[in-house]
Amino acid sequence: MRRSLEVWKMGTVNYLEALKLQEKLASDRKALKITDTLLSLQHPPTYTVGKRETVHNLLIPDSELKSMGAELHYAQRGGDITFHGPHQAILYPIVSLRDIGLGARMYVEKLELTMIELASMYGVKAQAGQKCETGVWVEDRKIGAIGVRISSGITSHGLAFNMDPDLNYFKHIVPCGIVDKGVTSLKNEAHVELPAEEVIQEQLIACFARIFGYNDVILKDKSML
């Protein structure tokens, strides 16, 4: 059976704009108006807090965020506080778990595998976190975060993989609520020269499509949307 995935390559998108788009697409997917869709993008500097509202894991006052050029937003996703910003590859899958025959746990595990496979392409040995440690790690350093929302079997939010973000932004939070662990990036861990970020983002899309079993991938860039 052929499974189709429409991929929107969106460049840099404001967090709230991306949030509204996800809500619209999730509604359309639930109504069977669209096929499974994957948003590939980056965000300007943004801290996001999940539905548990663990804003205490933000270590600086809100007033300082503006001077740093960063925003703070609350989202209806799982997971704790995290940072999104330039040079981080983000995938937001809007897919029907029923159609691809996955439960929530297996879905998250396949998101982890997507990032593990990408890291391995650059000789970086990444792995899923221990119990209660979501995301993907290189030893005790986090290279990829996951926070998902599933409503009526339709997914939104997703994963963020650190290509080469400014890791100083992570010093102002307890990333994903996990104390005493560091954050890293592909740039820090790979012992090879990295290609252009657009190439890495396309490789991440390819890993996602392969691991989730999509054999018909339709790419749309910003000019086509």
Side-chain angles (χ1 to χ4, degrees), residues 53-71:
E53 297 198 0
T54 49
V55 75
H56 57 272
N57 284 326
L58 176 65
L59 305 177
I60 55 171
D62 288 8
S63 56
E64 279 188 40
L65 290 176
K66 201 166 188 179
S67 64
M68 291 165 46
E71 297 180 348

Side-chain angles (χ1 to χ4, degrees), residues 87-181:
H87 315 299
Q88 186 186 63
I90 292 173
L91 294 184
Y92 290 146
I94 314 296
V95 305
S96 168
L97 292 185
R98 293 192 184 108
D99 281 10
I100 58 177
L102 292 179
R105 183 64 240 165
M106 184 59 75
Y107 172 65
V108 169
E109 287 175 3
K110 282 180 177 284
L111 290 179
E112 291 169 342
L113 278 173
T114 298
M115 293 190 280
I116 290 168
E117 184 171 299
L118 177 66
S120 74
M121 294 170 68
Y122 294 92
V124 176
K125 185 172 169 48
Q127 62 202 15
Q130 303 300 312
K131 194 175 180 183
C132 301
E133 294 179 354
T134 59
V136 168
W137 302 73
V138 180
E139 296 176 357
D140 63 351
R141 303 177 297 282
K142 192 165 196 171
I143 195 169
I146 292 175
V148 303
R149 173 174 166 78
I150 301 170
S151 176
S152 303
I154 307 298
T155 67
S156 57
H157 298 276
L159 65 81
F161 183 83
N162 294 337
M163 295 182 291
D164 186 24
D166 181 349
L167 298 179
N168 286 314
Y169 280 104
F170 290 94
K171 293 177 180 175
H172 304 303
I173 60 174
V174 182
C176 300
I178 300 168
V179 183
D180 298 332
K181 295 287 176 80

